[in-house]
Amino acid sequence: MKKLLLIVFTCYIPLGCSAQQQNTSETKKQPNIILLFADDAGYADFGFQGSKEMITPNLDKLASQGVRFTQAYVTHPTCGPSRAGLITGKSQYRFGYEENNVPTYMSEVSAADGAEMGLPVEEVTMADYLKKQGYATAVYGKWHLGGADRFHPTKRGFDVFYGFRGGARSYFEYTEGPAEPLNKMERGFGNFEESKEYLTDAIANASLDFIERNTKANKPFFAFLSFNAVHTPMDALPEDLAKFPKLTGKRKIVAAMGLALDRAVGKVLDKLKELGIADNTLVVFTNDNGGPTDANASSNLPLSGIKATHLEGGLRVPFLMKWPGKLKPNTVYDFPISTFDLLPTFYSAAGGNNTELKDIDGVDLLPYINGVKTERPHQTLFWKRDARAVIRKGDWKFIRFPDRPAELFYLPEDERELNNLADQEPERYLQMYKELFAWEATLERPRWLLKKEYEWRDVERMDNFWPKKNTQ
């Protein structure tokens, strides 16, 4: 009898342990992570943002399935610095990535020029961190973080790259090569090949093989789809243009380009569902800066300002996050966040310990979204470019200009920044002025500088898209 009991007991232990190990494995299964990143899209140009002109059913569905953020900010109002902050999880101003868009189309900028301007090689990227957690990593589309070989995505933590190193290119195949070599389509490192597909579709389609391959290998993956839509040039497919008979000019074209962007997003989301991995995938959609209304007819309403300005229309962007079972669907998060929060959020979701992240400014957003933490993720946020600079402290926003006195706004009652409260709040005005300068004193000097004429141009653009200035 004792022998029988012993046999039963020893059989029970392995069975119990096996079930426990299986449950633990399921609990700790790492999510796949997909970052869908638009380029120069207008704040208002999506159905989930209230647009009645744009057709964005896939993104609208994503919004209904996840969390929509009403006060999501980029780290800079232009493409290159914004991407540098996003991918490092820190304020790019702290390593001198302040001034410029890493242009491949200007000369005489500074000591470093063209392809030599890029994300410093000592900075650790989002992909670097996720690879440490066992992720396969890929980036598709626009890089814009340096054209020289040492800045290449495959040397910055990404296993796979299909896209272009520069900042803007045709959406159609180049038959004779682009004027700027950095805008050639490249697969991997140094393998240049043009696609015959419309570029927005090509970016999405290229990612599907990576998603499927790693799903079959049971390996968690991070896919960064860095679309160049809806950045200029204004290229659209005839069949997409036909969907907007009531629109004309650039507004018609940007709507068609936005439709293609939404279609590309739909392809990715459909693939997740087809493979049965949608419930274990964290998906984020956002944009690199405010829309440049003067260039592509995008709309940032009801916000004032456009790309390259420090008004809300230059800094605040659409932002969606979906993670089934982890985030409540069809919800809204109203406190300010920043795109540099994505790195620690992804790292935490991947099972990493955020104390391992050194010298970053972002925070893990998940406990804030879920209500575990009820305070704001950020009490203070900063931006600057040359003599212009901004501090947002709580709900107050202070803007310093190069050609007029600084102004102070209370955003909950004035998101269009029309009512300067500097005279009514002199103590707050002075305190924020000093705090902004104290922050600037901690920064690295800019690694390169634009000609001053470009700064003058952007101040003019600000006034042209600031209603209170237009009425004076």
Side-chain angles (χ1 to χ4, degrees):
M1 183 67 178
K2 289 182 179 179
K3 185 176 181 181
L4 177 61
L5 287 173
L6 180 60
I7 293 172
V8 172
F9 183 65
T10 54
C11 287
Y12 174 76
I13 289 175
L15 288 171
C17 289
S18 176
Q20 185 178 9
Q21 289 169 352
Q22 182 178 357
N23 290 337
T24 302
S25 176
E26 289 176 356
T27 301
K28 293 185 176 180
K29 187 175 183 181
Q30 292 169 295
N32 306 302
I33 300 171
I34 294 181
L35 175 55
L36 305 164
F37 204 52
D39 190 358
D40 280 9
Y43 182 76
D45 285 343
F46 301 92
F48 66 85
Q49 292 288 84
S51 176
K52 303 301 182 184
E53 291 182 330
M54 300 298 177
I55 303 174
T56 56
N58 293 297
L59 286 165
D60 298 346
K61 183 178 180 180
L62 181 64
S64 71
Q65 295 173 335
V67 182
R68 180 173 63 87
F69 295 75
T70 61
Q71 296 192 75
Y73 289 95
V74 290
T75 64
H76 192 81
T78 54
C79 306
S82 172
R83 282 168 166 74
L86 165 83
I87 209 164
T88 60
K90 64 194 289 186
S91 174
Q92 71 284 346
Y93 308 114
R94 294 202 290 115
F95 50 86
Y97 210 118
E98 168 191 327
E99 183 66 27
N100 184 350
N101 227 1
V102 190
T104 56
Y105 48 85
M106 298 177 185
S107 59
E108 301 177 21
V109 176
S110 63
D113 197 8
E116 295 305 310
M117 294 183 287
L119 182 71
V121 294
E122 62 269 20
E123 295 299 329
V124 184
T125 72
M126 183 183 289
D128 290 323
Y129 280 116
L130 289 174
K131 278 182 71 68
K132 290 181 180 179
Q133 293 300 309
Y135 277 66
T137 58
V139 58
Y140 297 92
K142 175 175 172 175
W143 178 237
H144 210 198
L145 287 171
D149 287 349
R150 67 183 180 279
F151 302 130
H152 195 271
T154 58
K155 298 185 179 182
R156 308 312 301 271
F158 289 98
D159 301 317
V160 174
F161 172 58
Y162 176 67
F164 57 100
R165 302 188 195 187
R169 57 153 287 147
S170 172
Y171 289 74
F172 299 107
E173 178 186 13
Y174 285 115
T175 55
E176 298 181 0
E180 173 49 61
L182 294 181
N183 290 328
K184 294 179 180 178
M185 291 299 291
E186 183 178 13
R187 189 179 297 276
F189 180 81
N191 301 311
F192 296 97
E193 54 179 70
E194 284 294 309
S195 170
K196 295 186 180 299
E197 292 182 282
Y198 183 71
L199 186 53
T200 306
D201 291 318
I203 291 170
N205 290 336
S207 74
L208 301 183
D209 175 68
F210 173 81
I211 292 171
E212 187 161 2
R213 186 170 68 253
N214 285 285
T215 300
K216 290 180 178 178
N218 199 29
K219 185 176 180 65
F221 61 81
F222 167 51
F224 178 17
L225 278 75
S226 180
F227 296 101
N228 56 321
V230 292
H231 194 292
T232 55
M234 303 297 289
D235 292 337
L237 292 169
E239 55 267 36
D240 291 335
L241 289 166
K243 299 288 180 62
F244 301 92
K246 295 182 179 180
L247 300 180
T248 60
K250 287 185 178 181
R251 188 63 180 162
K252 183 185 186 82
I253 301 173
V254 79
M257 295 169 76
L259 175 61
L261 172 65
D262 184 81
R263 178 174 63 246
V265 168
K267 290 180 180 181
V268 175
L269 299 181
D270 287 346
K271 177 58 71 171
L272 300 180
K273 185 175 180 180
E274 173 193 323
L275 296 172
I277 59 172
D279 286 346
N280 190 44
T281 303
L282 170 58
V283 179
V284 170
F285 170 80
T286 189
N287 186 44
D288 65 345
N289 45 247
T293 308
D294 54 353
N296 69 358
S298 53
S299 172
N300 299 315
L301 295 176
L303 308 176
S304 298
I306 62 172
K307 174 181 178 177
T309 78
H310 289 101
L311 298 172
E312 291 293 286
L315 295 170
R316 199 189 296 191
V317 292
F319 195 108
L320 304 173
M321 184 181 294
K322 172 194 171 187
W323 191 5
K326 301 291 185 179
L327 300 176
K328 187 177 180 181
N330 202 29
T331 57
V332 174
Y333 188 80
D334 290 322
F335 280 147
I337 66 162
S338 172
T339 48
F340 59 40
D341 294 325
L342 285 175
L343 188 153
T345 301
F346 291 166
Y347 192 69
S348 174
N353 184 340
N354 276 354
T355 60
E356 299 167 357
L357 302 177
K358 305 302 181 184
D359 193 32
I360 68 166
D361 296 301
V363 299
D364 176 10
L365 292 174
L366 298 174
Y368 294 95
I369 303 168
N370 286 324
V372 176
K373 294 183 178 181
T374 57
E375 67 271 25
R376 293 168 180 252
H378 301 282
Q379 180 63 21
T380 308
L381 292 168
F382 298 95
W383 300 267
K384 79 181 303 289
R385 178 168 170 175
D386 203 271
R388 291 181 287 152
V390 175
I391 173 174
R392 172 165 178 165
K393 191 174 183 67
D395 287 324
W396 292 86
K397 183 177 177 183
F398 175 96
I399 309 180
R400 189 185 70 204
F401 305 98
D403 62 343
R404 71 202 71 175
E407 299 189 16
L408 180 67
F409 305 98
Y410 184 62
L411 293 177
E413 298 176 359
D414 184 25
E415 68 178 359
R416 301 197 76 186
E417 299 162 284
L418 302 180
N419 185 21
N420 178 18
L421 299 177
D423 291 342
Q424 299 177 37
E425 296 276 346
E427 292 184 9
R428 187 188 306 274
Y429 179 86
L430 180 59
Q431 186 272 331
M432 292 181 72
Y433 211 136
K434 287 180 173 292
E435 188 171 347
L436 178 58
F437 180 71
W439 169 74
E440 287 181 293
T442 69
L443 304 179
E444 181 59 74
R445 63 182 180 181
R447 290 174 176 263
W448 46 76
L449 296 169
L450 277 170
K451 293 180 180 180
K452 289 297 182 180
E453 67 184 84
Y454 297 108
E455 180 69 3
W456 176 267
R457 180 198 66 179
D458 286 341
V459 172
E460 284 189 319
R461 295 174 78 195
M462 176 189 70
D463 284 344
N464 290 337
F465 291 90
W466 197 357
K468 78 167 189 172
K469 299 302 177 183
N470 293 338
T471 60
Q472 292 179 358

